């Protein structure tokens, strides 16, 4: 049974949904590293921190009290003693987070914390650089992906459910911009690890993807290639991502 699981992929590929469900099913710790970049971004925006100024950034990070608290197999993030909640998912944070995550000082700051947490017990860790940088020796590496339109549609539906008034075209544009910044930055870009298995979730349901992941964790099904439509059982469907 694999105990250190890395899931990477672009925005809206279903990483968070799948990593959370997989961790829940296995009783592992679920670690959302994107939430850590989001929490820092929300803090910078709320406190008017000019994060592009290296001196200001370094001073802020040096003084910042950041805590990761395990609660019900997930990680609560506290900054300066305040739990970070839904504000880290706002459209404003969406707009700025890739620019924050591309800064080497920010990545160095979070890297050790993420690694320590992920190795503390059996865990499912999701992000962009987990299989390549944070956990290069992970027992199982998954690269989740889906077409940009499917990913934008999922985010658009999620925003609607949260009562956020966003336009589909704006969401798609944001996803494409983030893909570009995340995959072209110098430090730890979004990249499939050589030994990762790609799962294209475009036309798979949540249950189908979960089934594949559980089989891979339990080593019940050997996969020699990438997985996209191998599980598709009938009509085109995306499930309620
Ligand atoms: O997964 P997400 O959309 O919540 O991630 C938010 C941003 O954080 C994303 O644009 C890229 C960045 N990120 C990163 O650079 N490295 C990670 N391990 C996780 C997220």
């Amino acid at each position: 049974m694999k105990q250190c699981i890395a899931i990477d992929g672009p925005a809206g590929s279903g990483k968070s949904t799948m990593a959370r469900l997989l961790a829940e099913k296995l009783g592992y710790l679920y670690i959302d590293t994107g939430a850590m970049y989001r929490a820092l971004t929300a803090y910078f925006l709320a406190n008017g921190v000019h994060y592009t100024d290296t001196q200001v950034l370094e001073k802020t990070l040096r003084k910042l009290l950041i805590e990761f608290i395990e609660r019900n197999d997930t990680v609560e993030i506290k900054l300066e003693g305040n739990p970070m909640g839904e504000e880290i998912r706002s459209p404003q944070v969406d707009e700025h987070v890739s620019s924050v995550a591309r800064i080497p000082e920010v990545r160095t700051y979070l890297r050790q914390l993420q690694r320590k947490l992920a190795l503390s017990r059996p865990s499912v860790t999701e992000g962009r650089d987990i299989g390549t940088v944070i956990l290069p020796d992970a027992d199982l590496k998954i690269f989740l992906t889906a077409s940009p339109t499917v990913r934008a549609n999922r985010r658009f539906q999620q925003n609607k459910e949260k009562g956020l008034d966003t336009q589909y075209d704006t969401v798609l544009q944001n996803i494409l911009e983030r893909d570009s910044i995340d995959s072209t930055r110098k430090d730890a870009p979004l990249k499939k690890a050589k030994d990762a298995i790609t799962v294209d979730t475009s036309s798979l349901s949540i249950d189908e993807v979960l089934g594949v992941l559980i089989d891979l964790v339990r080593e019940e099904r050997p996969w020699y290639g990438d997985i996209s439509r191998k599980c598709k059982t009938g009509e085109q469907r995306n499930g309620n991502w």
Side-chain angles (χ1 to χ4, degrees), residues 5-209:
I5 299 160
I7 302 186
D8 289 300
S13 57
K15 290 187 311 294
S16 300
T17 305
M18 295 322 310
R20 181 179 289 113
L21 287 173
L22 184 63
E24 227 172 77
K25 188 93 186 166
L26 300 167
Y28 288 8
L29 179 65
Y30 165 57
I31 305 171
D32 174 359
T33 59
M36 299 171 185
Y37 290 98
R38 287 175 173 276
L40 281 184
T41 305
Y43 178 84
F44 294 160
L45 294 174
N47 293 281
V49 175
H50 294 286
Y51 59 82
T52 48
D53 180 328
T54 309
Q55 276 191 346
V56 171
L57 178 75
E58 283 181 341
K59 193 170 162 207
T60 306
L61 292 179
R62 228 181 359 257
K63 287 189 8 200
L64 191 67
L65 172 64
I66 187 165
E67 294 166 280
F68 298 142
I69 298 155
E70 284 185 37
R71 210 183 292 284
N72 300 327
D73 291 341
T74 62
V75 179
E76 181 182 89
I77 305 169
K78 277 189 175 182
L79 288 183
E80 300 295 355
N82 301 314
M84 303 301 283
E86 271 307 297
E87 70 269 32
I88 70 169
R89 315 264 164 212
S90 72
Q92 209 199 0
V93 170
D94 274 352
E95 199 185 315
H96 288 265
V97 66
S98 285
S99 305
V100 170
R102 82 201 292 185
I103 304 173
E105 287 81 0
V106 169
R107 303 202 71 82
T108 307
Y109 177 76
L110 288 179
R111 190 169 294 152
Q112 293 310 322
L113 298 170
Q114 292 169 350
R115 192 169 287 155
K116 198 168 153 208
L117 195 60
L119 295 175
S120 66
R121 50 174 279 204
S123 58
V124 180
T125 307
E126 57 126 328
R128 302 291 191 288
D129 59 343
I130 309 304
T132 50
V133 175
I134 305 297
L135 302 170
D137 298 323
D139 299 325
L140 175 65
K141 298 180 186 178
I142 303 291
F143 192 81
L144 276 195
T145 184
S147 71
T149 48
V150 166
R151 294 190 281 123
N153 199 39
R154 285 178 191 158
R155 272 289 144 88
F156 177 64
Q157 296 302 337
Q158 283 164 359
N159 286 352
K160 230 158 85 177
E161 278 158 29
K162 283 194 243 162
L164 292 172
D165 183 23
T166 43
Q167 301 291 315
Y168 170 80
D169 286 347
T170 315
V171 175
L172 177 61
Q173 194 56 35
N174 174 261
I175 279 197
L176 294 174
E177 267 167 31
R178 283 210 282 149
D179 282 357
S180 160
I181 300 176
D182 293 343
S183 49
T184 57
R185 67 172 175 238
K186 274 209 189 108
D187 193 3
L190 164 65
K191 204 169 71 181
K192 175 183 183 280
K194 280 199 189 82
D195 49 350
I197 298 167
T198 298
V199 181
D200 186 333
T201 68
S202 299
S203 54
L204 299 178
S205 71
I206 291 175
D207 283 348
E208 284 174 328
V209 178

